[in-house]
Amino acid sequence: MRSARFQSALILILVVTPLVAEAAPVPFSKDVLPILAHNCFECHAHGKKKGGLDLSSREALLKGGKTGPAIIAGKSADSLLIHLVQSGDEDERMPSEKPALKPQEIAILKEWISQGAPWDANVAILPPKPNIKPRTPTIPQGPGNPIDRMLAAYFKEHHVTTSAIVDDRHFARRAYFDIIGLPPTPNELETFQKEANPDKRPRLVAALLHRNQDYAEHWMSFWCDHLRSGTTFGIDGVNININGWLLPALRDNLPYDQFVRTLINPGKDGPRGFVDGLKMRGVVETSARTEIQAAQNIGQVFLGTQIKCATCHDSFTSQWTQADVWGMATLYADGPMEITRCEVPTGKIAEPRFIFPGLGTIDPKLPKNQQVARLAELVTSKDNALLARTIVNRIWSRLMGRGLIEPLDSMENPAWNPDLLDWLASDLVAHNYDLKHTLELIVTSQAYQRLVVDDAELRSPSAKDGSQFTFAGPRFKRLTAEQYADALCAVGEMQWGHVTAPPPAPTAGKPDPKNEHRLGRAWTHTRSAFQEALGRTDRNNVTTSRDADASTLQALQILTGAELRGVLDKIAAKLTEKKPTPGFIVATIYARSFGRSPTPLELKVAESILGANPTSEAVADYLWLVIALPEFQVID
């Protein structure tokens, strides 16, 4: 006889526990979509509708094909799809000419249909390809920067109250960092602030853009990330350095279309590192082949288009196919390329093509070098507006903290202001693809010169593109690893430690009389633990935007990093060399770090830390406090 306590517990268990446990919801994107994509899309997606069946949407699936609805939501036993995938008749079973589905895959499909065949709202199997057609919107009439004239109507429509224009100190610091990657010196800032000319801001921007060497050295980091060039080598392979070509190209402001053409079609003696890619050792997977890398990277870097997902099979969630990726890749192959699907040979030979065939074809009878030249011609054609849209979107993001389209490599997404994006792109083309012109246009706009805004409340947390985003002004930007290092060296008027990387040699092997770059700029150094913590990439993969969020690793490097401490010690030794007063040291550090004088309270705190006779060690500790401040680390 069971105890009364046991009987009560048993009754409680029976009451609260269902007799039949409900099945957990089947996640469509994770479990169902891969089954359909691997087994069905080859015949029933990407424009193919064998038997009239299209699997590009839930509506199309429910509609079915010539034999009727493919599924009946809520009734898996009555669904034609289930009957076909588990049929024992080889002539009837689906997928045809492929292995039968595994029992667990059929079980997933059954349960998914029984649950009503839910389809994730954010999954579009075949979203449109990026628009390539040029378009030049009309600029509203009136005075002022064209960007501001175009944004005036936007702000009115979205009920945006714009922030005030920043003062001269903030503007100068922002422009210096964004254009040449360095802070203004105290003398430069003082001269600018005292100037009475009403056009002094445009004049400053023009002057900074004419500092060709500083401009080039700053933008080297941006392009080394995009082009996978630098002093870092992959653990499992070799990354070819093209810095010897890249630095002069930036310094001479090579027109962007010519810049891209040269990288796509470098010839024998040009900057081959971009298309030759990261050379992996040993037997590699399909996606690691240098020809495939070339196709993927051309699409991503210059066209803002991710085609990697179509390397091993036709894309599950876009219109890109293996024929697109392999068609571009074969242009860089020594011989014919047999397409492999998930590492299995298909017997199909890739035919030369550009991923946007509407712009033109590539004759397979042409010699390889002429096929590559044709590709470069198509990518940089003025009929291909995507080239200009992609780079102006990247520049806008770099200067404003967020792109007109997000993510930056998803140019098929809507822009929060399509007219502004298209006008900037057409304006770049009209000015001979002069990137400095676009930089000057943006930096001299009031939109750029406004106080930074926190736009978190202006967008939906679930929005992945510009459809639910409202632009109100520039955002806070953290200094990049290279900017941080260079800004710190500016405080000590010195270079960053010991230079371990040699100056880049011209690709052709001849001395470059213009190659006068300073080895002290941070980009010339190999990637260290300190720079890695602050976001510098290893350049084994294309990086079009770095993670700007603060991290624990960054905090640890700033707090305890030996490399940073060594630089602080050198700066401190230099500042205390002539035994100056605490007030002089603090004023110098503030002027070089922030472009301002310390407040009375800041001076009092600093003097209490430094003491009456500051030692080099005390100054190093104080410097550590200063460079850890958000005011030092952030462009506002």
Side-chain angles (χ1 to χ4, degrees), residues 242-264:
I242 61 170
N243 290 355
W245 172 86
L246 182 56
L247 183 67
L250 295 175
R251 186 178 54 229
D252 297 340
N253 195 30
L254 189 67
Y256 185 63
D257 60 335
Q258 186 177 341
F259 179 91
V260 173
R261 273 197 302 274
T262 305
L263 288 166
I264 293 176

Side-chain angles (χ1 to χ4, degrees), residues 77-277:
D78 298 332
S79 294
L80 178 61
L81 174 66
I82 298 301
H83 170 74
L84 293 177
V85 297
Q86 61 184 7
S87 173
D89 185 343
E90 288 296 321
D91 295 329
E92 180 185 52
R93 180 186 58 77
M94 291 293 171
S96 61
E97 301 179 5
K98 285 186 177 183
L101 295 189
K102 298 174 182 177
Q104 58 266 38
E105 292 176 323
I106 295 175
I108 289 172
L109 292 178
K110 282 183 176 181
E111 186 57 39
W112 173 64
I113 295 172
S114 296
Q115 293 178 4
W119 194 288
D120 292 352
N122 63 340
V123 171
I125 299 302
L126 299 174
K129 290 183 178 181
N131 180 23
I132 61 172
K133 294 182 179 179
R135 173 175 170 265
T136 306
T138 303
I139 307 173
Q141 297 295 317
N145 188 296
I147 292 173
D148 297 316
R149 280 186 268 151
M150 298 195 78
L151 283 175
Y154 175 87
F155 289 145
K156 183 177 180 180
E157 178 186 353
H158 291 83
H159 309 289
V160 173
T161 301
T162 55
S163 58
I165 301 296
V166 297
D167 59 30
D168 283 345
R169 181 177 72 87
H170 279 86
F171 172 77
R173 188 172 186 269
R174 188 183 293 179
Y176 268 76
F177 272 123
D178 281 340
I179 295 174
I180 64 172
L182 298 168
T185 67
N187 287 338
E188 288 172 337
L189 186 55
E190 182 180 7
T191 300
F192 175 69
Q193 288 178 305
K194 288 182 177 179
E195 187 178 349
N197 192 320
D199 292 330
K200 67 180 184 179
R201 292 193 179 189
R203 286 159 56 91
L204 174 65
V205 172
L208 290 173
L209 288 168
H210 278 88
R211 288 174 58 169
N212 296 330
Q213 189 66 30
D214 286 330
Y215 166 85
E217 295 208 56
H218 168 52
W219 287 90
M220 279 295 292
S221 296
F222 174 89
W223 282 111
C224 283
D225 281 1
H226 284 69
L227 305 177
R228 300 195 304 178
S229 178
T231 55
T232 302
F233 297 90
I235 296 174
D236 297 319
V238 179
N239 198 352
I240 299 177
N241 190 319
I242 61 170
N243 290 355
W245 172 86
L246 182 56
L247 183 67
L250 295 175
R251 186 178 54 229
D252 297 340
N253 195 30
L254 189 67
Y256 185 63
D257 60 335
Q258 186 177 341
F259 179 91
V260 173
R261 273 197 302 274
T262 305
L263 288 166
I264 293 176
N265 181 30
K268 293 182 179 179
D269 299 323
R272 294 205 57 85
F274 177 66
V275 292
D276 282 353

Side-chain angles (χ1 to χ4, degrees), residues 273-284:
F274 177 66
V275 292
D276 282 353
L278 184 66
K279 295 182 179 298
M280 306 299 290
R281 298 187 178 94
V283 179
V284 299

